[in-house]
Amino acid sequence: MTSSYASDVAIDLSGIWKLSSAEGDHQVRMDIPGDVHTALRDAKVIPDPYFGRNENDVQWVGHRDWIIERSFYVDEPDATWYLDVDYLDTVAVVFLNDIPVLSADNCFRRYRPDVSSALQQGENTIRIHFHSSIKAGADRQASQPFYVPYHPGNSPIPHGNMLRKPQCHFGWDWNIALAPLGIYGTIALRRLDVARIDHVSTSQHHVDGGVELHVELTLHAAQPASVPTHLSLGDERLRLDCGVSAGDTVIRHVFFVEDPKLWWPAGSGEQALYTLTVELPDETVTKQIGFRKVELLTDKDEAGSRFAFRINGREIFCRGANWIPADALHSLTSREKTEDLLSSAAEANMNMIRVWGGGFYEQDWFYDLCDRLGLMVWQDFMFACNLYPCTDDFLDNVEHEVDYQVRRLSSHPSIVLWCGDNELVGALNWFEESRDNRDRYLVAYDRLNRTIERALKKAAPSALWWPSSPASGYLDYGDAWHADGSGDMHYWSVWHENKSFDNYRAVKPRFCSEFGFQSYTSMPVIRTYADEKDMNISSPVIELHQKNAGGNERIAGTIFRYFRFPKDFENFVYISQVQQALAIKTAVEYWRSLKPHCMGTLYWQLNDTWPVASWSSLDYGGSWKALHYAARHFFQPVAVSAIPSEGTNVVQFSTVNDTAEEVEIDMNIFALLTDGTRMPLKSASGACGPDAAVIMADVDMAQLPDGALLSWNFIASNGMTGEGHHVAETYKALELQPPGLAHSVKALDDGQFELEVSATGLALFVMVEADVAGRYSDNLFDLTAGETRRIIFSPLDKTLTLPPSFKLFDLFSSQSHG
């Protein structure tokens, strides 16, 4: 939704403010929207929190109160004026001319207090006093009727669960712990002449031959009046003369659209969108509307109960990842950077992202982008991995939050599910207090969960609701981390329990909404926060940029399990990314082969909030890690994968088709020798029906020469192609030979660069890395003897004239060879 106002009824208060500490010892400029830490960094009051171990040196900022202030002018103060502010983070008091006009404590609400009595003609001063979230959290914990635990492993800054603020602001096992403060959205002064628009909500009812779009418009007026209101949908425009009372008045209208174009997820059809406009004399609101019917299938079967999305009558396999905030500090991100991240998801053949419950309800334009990209959104409410208060004042605050966010966002066609929280049911077992008195904390959780559900259903009665993630079902408080028969699953046994990658094939989830494996961020990113002396996995700087306890040891231990140990730090980083890609590929390929038993895989996680070792497939800044290049292949709508048959030497080739049309597959299967030559084993052809998975062929690994790999390639009748390899044991067991890698670079007229990468032997997991940021047409690929691959590199900086410096990595070259 976007809103615009006549210039004579709105004063935009964004821009330059003065920031000072409550004690008065720091005074600097601050840009609004923005955050305190970035303003202090820009003024060189604090060092860059992301560099080295500076995180430790800036902790004092979050313990202080901070004040921002600016002046503005009003010509007609006698009218009715209100302040309009959202994304106010978080415990803050707003003063106009030293008169308190707002006391806020929820980053996820919009506040619109009447400030008429505080205004004066001419110059006015607005001041916002931000109270330390750390102190506010401690004070609220102390006032609870019983202690409410938080997860110290995720939240090294305590008591963030007391506040309605992004939970990852207090740290997470991938995030820096800063407890930032600021304003990240709108702040404006608006004159209320007759009425304003508080909400524009829609619901749709699909009937034979068309769609009814029910529009519900909430107008707020200071006194009774008649308001000329125009509503437009596409080419249809009408005028309603609406009588309004003092306070809120709800206006309803139904548009009927004959034979509408439908909105489909990416890869399943067009993302058809319509524009809904509501106009008052001084204000216009526009919303992006897409017509689609969404259902969540949870019917019972022999395994338990299903968890599948049906869009416009067709079941859609969900391929995607989890979204976390685009940056730990708001000032360091932008719409353009976020669009790049979401576009990368779509380019990797994703059709769903899960907006995880420890961050933000994102800005409207975020969901507009998802609408246009065809990315279905699983939307969590903002509760994650902690226990929460259940006092009346807290629940009342939550109810207002849910009402506002659902009315703001529910019209987006991309949002297909609203989920109560992330892992709160599991959190009941994580703390001594809740284990010892489960009834008390379970009742507290139920009070919160039901408050969210009731508020959702009141604001959007037709919205799809899921109580928690993971959950085996409605009112099912079982172990959805290990039980795979029903609902959605978070499967973390491979990472957190240190099980082998094969263990992904030990479960058969109906929908896996979280699973992941860590890697290090890429070398160009590491060089932005670490000096050469720090390039060691055990250095204090590298350890500080690893927020999961035992994470570095687990990465290294897994390398020992599967690979020969890398020869230096750069290759350690490279191998960590290769094994991350292998882990997630193993899971996704197997679970896709179970279709329709399994109907979704969302790995953890898409993006990073700062430069850190994590589970992400995109580096901080948006470059693609090895996993993201692999995801583009294993999420391809038509894909072929090798699945070992348990207890035998047989490898089965599974073909998955997520399209609505049958495809013919032609594939060739080889024994791949370590000198890079290929021996044909067999060819296979066959059909795979729409939205299906079938076994196309199988191979007994005993047929292969000693030490050989199994490899294959395929082409589908719709033009999709792919290739891959499979090893019988581990990569460290392979006696690899020098691959003879070489490359040449040529500048193209459009600012891109063409690389030709060739090999005289077998080169596994070839990765190209440039000394400048950019994207490759392909990466993480294999080359056989005599093969050449053409790669296009698109630098982020379009003004480059000289070719970047490129470096090649491959499995053999990553190892020390005496």
Side-chain angles (χ1 to χ4, degrees), residues 297-546:
L297 308 179
T298 57
D299 43 303
K300 295 187 180 302
D301 59 17
E302 291 181 358
S305 59
R306 303 194 68 209
F307 192 99
F309 289 92
R310 182 188 286 155
I311 310 294
N312 302 329
R314 181 180 160 212
E315 291 188 27
I316 303 293
F317 191 98
C318 299
R319 309 179 304 266
N322 285 259
W323 171 269
I324 60 176
D327 206 291
L329 295 173
H330 176 270
S331 301
L332 303 184
T333 190
S334 66
R335 179 171 180 159
E336 292 72 26
K337 291 178 181 178
T338 298
E339 183 170 5
D340 182 62
L341 296 172
L342 292 174
S343 295
S344 289
E347 289 169 26
N349 290 308
M350 296 184 190
N351 61 13
M352 176 179 273
I353 59 168
R354 173 177 173 240
V355 178
W356 169 77
F360 286 101
Y361 307 93
E362 296 287 346
Q363 307 254 9
D364 284 275
W365 53 258
F366 175 96
Y367 302 94
D368 286 341
L369 288 170
C370 292
D371 294 341
R372 293 199 291 273
L373 290 168
L375 290 171
M376 293 180 286
V377 175
W378 169 314
Q379 178 66 53
D380 281 1
F381 288 98
M382 293 299 118
F383 302 87
C385 297
N386 293 312
L387 302 185
Y388 290 88
C390 65
T391 53
D392 289 344
D393 60 334
F394 186 86
L395 296 181
D396 180 69
N397 203 355
V398 168
E399 187 174 357
H400 281 87
E401 167 191 325
V402 172
D403 182 77
Y404 165 60
Q405 294 294 347
V406 172
R407 292 184 192 278
R408 177 174 75 96
L409 297 174
S410 60
S411 296
H412 285 279
S414 56
I415 298 181
V416 297
L417 185 72
W418 293 85
C419 178
D421 61 72
N422 176 78
E423 298 190 349
L424 263 60
V425 174
L428 290 166
N429 299 316
W430 297 347
F431 309 105
E432 181 180 355
E433 295 86 354
S434 53
R435 288 194 300 267
D436 290 347
N437 196 343
R438 184 175 174 86
D439 288 352
R440 166 188 281 177
Y441 290 94
L442 182 58
V443 168
Y445 169 75
D446 190 62
R447 279 170 59 89
L448 172 63
N449 195 251
R450 287 181 180 273
T451 296
I452 299 169
E453 181 183 11
R454 284 195 300 266
L456 166 68
K457 290 301 185 182
K458 181 180 178 182
S462 61
L464 290 183
W465 159 257
W466 190 243
S468 180
S469 184
S472 296
Y474 187 69
L475 297 180
D476 187 328
Y477 299 108
D479 180 7
W481 282 260
H482 297 91
D484 60 354
S486 302
D488 78 306
M489 186 180 196
H490 289 189
Y491 192 64
W492 282 105
S493 293
V494 173
W495 175 258
H496 286 301
E497 298 175 29
N498 201 30
K499 294 189 176 181
S500 71
F501 295 169
D502 292 337
N503 195 258
Y504 283 123
R505 293 190 283 263
V507 293
K508 297 180 178 180
R510 313 313 300 266
F511 192 112
C512 199
S513 48
E514 271 194 32
F515 61 102
F517 200 90
Q518 269 203 3
S519 72
Y520 288 99
T521 191
S522 303
M523 283 303 303
V525 179
I526 291 175
R527 291 191 177 99
T528 67
Y529 68 78
D531 295 323
E532 285 300 319
K533 65 181 176 60
D534 301 314
M535 302 297 179
N536 185 297
I537 62 168
S538 297
S539 76
V541 168
I542 299 301
E543 288 191 336
L544 186 71
H545 288 252
Q546 164 62 270

Side-chain angles (χ1 to χ4, degrees), residues 532-599:
E532 285 300 319
K533 65 181 176 60
D534 301 314
M535 302 297 179
N536 185 297
I537 62 168
S538 297
S539 76
V541 168
I542 299 301
E543 288 191 336
L544 186 71
H545 288 252
Q546 164 62 270
K547 294 301 184 181
N548 183 237
N552 288 350
E553 294 93 326
R554 197 159 295 125
I555 292 172
T558 306
I559 290 177
F560 271 124
R561 178 182 285 168
Y562 292 109
F563 298 94
R564 300 186 187 190
F565 210 67
K567 64 185 181 184
D568 57 22
F569 181 73
E570 280 190 333
N571 282 284
F572 193 95
V573 170
Y574 157 72
I575 292 295
S576 80
Q577 291 200 12
V578 169
Q579 74 177 8
Q580 179 192 33
L582 281 172
I584 305 308
K585 176 176 178 286
T586 301
V588 170
E589 289 184 340
Y590 178 63
W591 294 340
R592 285 188 76 188
S593 78
L594 302 176
K595 181 180 178 176
H597 174 91
C598 176
M599 286 301 291

